[in-house]
Amino acid sequence: MKNLVVYNHGKDSIPWGEKALALAEVAKGRGFAFVSPDYQASNDPDWRVEQLLALDLRGYERIMLAGSSMGAYVATVAAETIKPQGLFLIAPAFYLPGYARDRFAPGTENIEVFHGWQDDVVPPENAWRFCREHRARLHMLDADHRLLSILSQMAAAFDRLLRDLTR
């Protein structure tokens, strides 16, 4: 396959949780290969960025980086080097203590962000700040940090984003 989605799981999550499985099904339907690296060996976001950058991504025509929470941070920092065609970010862990970066240069203008109004891990205003700075599409919905209650809405938006990338 010439198209690839790399999904980056969150700090206390697993590579093939509910969000990864839902997005993988959408990606497959759009002709994208889908990988979800296992970052469980370390909760250091910058170590995770190094692991993502170490993947062999040569040979792909289109790359979409996706991630949830810490994984969204990892995808966004790595995007500066990878230059993907798009970013799909779920409750991104931006502007938090313990994260080395608070300034981003995502490497793409095609960015879609989902965040929950009830998120008690990453304040909703952090997503708004990032989206304002990078003119990203922001979906603020009545959900908590995991956003599982709106998984079908996220999957539909992901499908539209992949469709638009392949036009």
Side-chain angles (χ1 to χ4, degrees):
M1 290 187 186
K2 294 184 178 182
N3 302 320
L4 175 69
V5 172
V6 181
Y7 177 80
N8 300 276
H9 67 82
K11 178 179 177 183
D12 295 323
S13 189
I14 58 174
W16 291 99
E18 291 175 75
K19 287 176 272 202
L21 292 171
L23 297 182
E25 184 176 324
V26 169
K28 182 180 176 186
R30 288 283 173 194
F32 280 72
F34 191 96
V35 297
S36 184
D38 187 346
Y39 299 121
Q40 295 176 93
S42 175
N43 282 336
D44 177 348
D46 297 303
W47 177 86
R48 292 179 177 203
V49 170
E50 290 173 18
Q51 299 308 301
L52 175 52
L53 292 174
L55 293 179
D56 183 2
L57 302 177
R58 293 174 296 181
Y60 290 101
E61 187 176 317
R62 293 179 195 90
I63 296 174
M64 165 69 68
L65 296 180
S68 180
S69 194
M70 182 185 281
Y73 170 93
V74 169
T76 304
V77 173
E80 294 177 20
T81 301
I82 294 171
K83 308 281 191 241
Q85 279 62 49
L87 282 170
F88 191 82
L89 309 174
I90 303 166
F94 294 147
Y95 316 114
L96 296 178
Y99 287 70
R101 302 284 295 277
D102 64 0
R103 299 177 66 91
F104 305 95
T108 182
E109 294 178 6
N110 197 9
I111 306 169
E112 195 138 354
V113 178
F114 276 81
H115 208 95
W117 285 115
Q118 310 307 319
D119 192 329
D120 60 358
V121 177
V122 180
E125 54 268 22
N126 294 15
W128 182 84
R129 175 182 167 190
F130 174 84
C131 290
R132 185 190 69 215
E133 289 174 7
H134 300 286
R135 292 190 168 92
R137 288 179 297 283
L138 176 60
H139 306 266
M140 291 296 300
L141 298 158
D142 190 20
D144 62 12
H145 182 68
R146 296 188 64 214
L147 292 132
L148 293 177
S149 63
I150 58 152
L151 188 53
S152 62
Q153 289 172 268
M154 286 191 299
F158 190 61
D159 185 57
R160 287 189 301 274
L161 187 59
L162 293 182
R163 179 197 67 209
D164 292 348
L165 278 181
T166 55
R167 282 189 171 166

